[in-house]
Amino acid sequence: MTSVVLALPPGRASALADELETEGVHVAAIAPPGGVLPLPADIDAVIVAVSRRVMTPEFIAACDRAAVRIVPLGDGDSRLLVRYGLAAPLPADASGWAVARALIADVPEAIVPVPRAPHRVTAVWGPAGSPGRSTIAIQLAVELARTGRRTALVDADTVAPSLALLLGLSDDAPGIAAACRRAELGALDSAELTRLASVLETSAGEIDLLGGINRPGRWPELSADRLRSALTACRTWAEETVVDVSGAFDADDEATYDIAGPRRHAATVTALQEADAIVAVASADPVGISRFIRDHAELRRLIGTTSSHIVVNRVRPGPLGIDARGQIRRTLERFAGITEVTFLPFDQRAADAALLHARPMADLTPRSALVAAVRRLVSASTPEGAAAATADSSRGSSLGARRLLRARAAREA
């Protein structure tokens, strides 16, 4: 006799248990969602609802080790099923005979898993002067989540943290400071990070946010060793971790006599050195480009061979004249040796809407030129995932856009 565990809400679990017993399926236990582990012995399958709270990496790994089959129910986040290569879900109100039939099926209709890239940490940096680091970090996280990868957004800015405020969340949440404290004690894992994080609902799916410190005076809480351990835990917790950092380095502290004391900007240096990729942001005006060129040499010294994407934000003809892009490109190539540059247009309407509603731009102005430019930036770094998520459209995956693309392709054919 097939033996199963039901990890469903109590009312639904009791009704389904009675129906399964009638169909000859033994219900070994009824567990609350998220409380399945450790798995009971001698079971054949676990029937769960499609939810991130339940279908964690630890749960999937435990089922794989015990050769226990997972039968998902409901129409939750389908990207979870693609990520773990699970079978297509049954309806949330599936009857007992339908579940029993799925249990005895020899070969379930599993979704073919997409090859997954390694887990990454991306740091978003820019010189002083508000070039738009936080705004770009938010948009990068949204577009990375749109590719189907679990994404976390971390505010490690110890000078002017703002991610929680920009997204309409409380800046009193535990966030990255609490994660650093737990990491120092060796008690930081994926479950603890999920508990400490705030969940941001976006048009691309859920994003886990570890907010920053709510006062700049708390900067010693984000020491180098603490933050390094926290980012190491984030690698196993999320597939994509986007870290927003301040523009200041530690060069001023290195000249002091207090060698053993904490460094004022150690969080920025640590995040840059631990990151797998750097997004360096410059503001498209004479002051912003000058500041970027002066700090870029120090940035290269810190990150070594780590790949970096140079992004020039708020490109417009006003501060630089008609050929703004050409002037910026020639200046960066001449004084910093930079030849590869990504330009982000100035979209005041989208920026104002995001500030007014405390939401990501992609949720409020999905057809914005700035949103499309960030999407192309993500597509260049993860072409397979982005193409699948946006149906090869740099402006999104809306039904209307896909129809226009198919019509254009038909005419060209």
Side-chain angles (χ1 to χ4, degrees):
M1 177 181 292
T2 303
S3 180
V4 301
V5 171
L6 302 183
L8 301 170
R12 171 62 176 149
S14 299
L16 184 59
D18 294 338
E19 297 179 10
L20 288 175
E21 293 289 351
T22 304
E23 299 294 332
V25 177
H26 173 61
V27 178
I30 296 178
V36 185
L37 299 180
L39 293 173
D42 299 327
I43 62 170
D44 301 301
V46 178
I47 301 172
V48 298
V50 180
S51 168
R52 281 192 175 189
R53 187 163 62 94
V54 180
M55 303 176 69
T56 62
E58 293 79 6
F59 169 69
I60 300 296
C63 291
D64 289 343
R65 288 193 297 268
V68 172
R69 183 173 167 187
I70 301 174
V71 179
L73 296 183
D75 54 355
D77 191 349
S78 60
R79 288 189 291 268
L80 284 172
L81 306 180
V82 175
R83 180 182 306 161
Y84 298 125
L86 297 177
L90 296 174
D93 57 349
S95 60
W97 69 265
V99 175
R101 185 177 61 179
L103 288 171
I104 63 175
D106 293 333
V107 182
E109 297 179 1
I111 300 175
V112 178
V114 179
R116 309 301 295 180
H119 292 203
R120 302 185 304 175
V121 173
T122 303
V124 181
W125 170 87
S130 300
R133 295 183 299 266
S134 298
T135 300
I136 292 176
I138 293 171
Q139 290 306 122
L140 282 174
V142 171
E143 297 307 326
L144 287 169
R146 198 181 304 279
T147 66
R149 294 171 66 81
R150 180 174 185 176
T151 304
L153 188 56
V154 178
D155 193 345
D157 189 338
T158 55
V159 176
S162 58
L163 288 183
L165 297 177
L166 287 173
L167 296 171
L169 301 173
S170 172
D171 62 351
D172 292 330
I176 186 62
C180 286
R181 291 193 296 270
R182 299 293 290 171
E184 186 179 34
L185 298 174
L188 188 65
D189 55 13
S190 297
E192 188 68 9
L193 282 167
T194 300
R195 185 184 69 84
L196 296 174
S198 302
V199 178
L200 176 66
E201 297 284 349
T202 71
S203 59
E206 293 182 350
I207 294 176
D208 296 297
L209 173 66
L210 287 173
I213 54 179
N214 53 12
R215 296 187 309 277
R218 296 176 56 192
W219 63 265
E221 297 181 36
L222 273 62
S223 64
D225 293 337
R226 284 179 168 186
L227 186 60
R228 185 177 295 109
S229 300
L231 292 179
T232 300
C234 285
R235 289 184 186 276
T236 60
W237 174 50
E239 294 172 289
E240 297 284 353
T241 303
V242 180
V243 186
D244 181 23
V245 300
S246 68
F249 298 118
D250 249 344
D252 55 343
D253 289 340
E254 291 176 356
T256 64
Y257 293 99
D258 188 6
I259 300 177
R263 294 293 188 258
R264 174 65 179 87
H265 306 296
T268 299
V269 176
T270 302
L272 291 173
Q273 292 177 339
E274 291 295 313
D276 302 298
I278 309 294
V279 176
V281 184
S283 181
D285 57 73
V287 176
I289 296 299
S290 176
R291 286 173 172 170
F292 181 84
I293 291 174
R294 291 176 182 177
D295 289 347
H296 181 259
E298 181 66 13
L299 174 69
R300 290 306 319 171
R301 184 187 72 82
L302 287 174
I303 67 176
T305 59
T306 303
S307 64
S308 62
H309 304 277
I310 310 303
V311 174
V312 178
N313 192 26
R314 300 170 181 161
V315 178
R316 59 202 187 280
L320 294 170
I322 297 177
D323 188 20
R325 295 192 179 198
Q327 291 189 60
I328 293 172
R329 195 182 296 277
R330 289 189 294 270
T331 302
L332 292 177
E333 184 175 2
R334 177 181 178 184
F335 294 102
I338 297 171
T339 57
E340 297 293 331
V341 184
T342 300
F343 293 98
L344 301 182
F346 182 63
D347 193 339
Q348 188 65 53
R349 173 177 168 271
D352 289 346
L355 285 174
L356 176 62
H357 298 282
R359 299 291 301 165
M361 292 183 189
D363 292 1
L364 303 171
T365 55
R367 313 301 287 177
S368 165
L370 176 57
V371 173
V374 175
R375 187 169 294 143
R376 286 192 294 270
L377 175 63
V378 172
S379 178
S381 60
T382 56
E384 297 85 358
T390 61
D392 296 322
S393 168
S394 64
R395 287 188 174 271
S397 57
S398 67
L399 180 59
R402 293 197 296 271
R403 287 176 177 172
L404 288 174
L405 288 173
R406 287 197 295 267
R408 182 184 301 172
R411 287 197 300 270
E412 292 176 354

